[in-house]
Amino acid sequence: MKPTVVGMAVGAVLAFTALLFDFWGFLLMALFIAVGAFFGRAAEGKVDFRSVRDALTGRRSSS
């Protein structure tokens, strides 16, 4: 399996425990899956953390 799929699966498993907390658990599940997918793509080498950090701090734009 690709690291992105594994990351999403790990995020889903972690978020499953959050489902015990009703609506907020659902929101946490979506957050955990997104974070898992992000780190999975980083493991594949498709995300450069330096460029993400630079974009978040305003040093570099996406264009």
Side-chain angles (χ1 to χ4, degrees):
M1 275 198 286
K2 291 185 175 185
T4 301
V5 175
V6 173
M8 288 175 63
V10 169
V13 169
L14 290 174
F16 181 73
T17 59
L19 285 176
L20 299 174
F21 301 108
D22 297 326
F23 176 72
W24 294 108
F26 176 75
L27 292 179
L28 283 173
M29 179 181 67
L31 176 68
F32 286 143
I33 290 174
V35 168
F38 178 77
F39 284 116
R41 293 196 50 91
E44 286 180 350
K46 295 183 178 179
V47 176
D48 181 19
F49 286 111
R50 288 187 183 128
S51 64
V52 171
R53 184 194 66 210
D54 289 343
L56 291 174
T57 58
R59 292 184 183 170
R60 193 185 321 174
S61 68
S62 61
S63 58

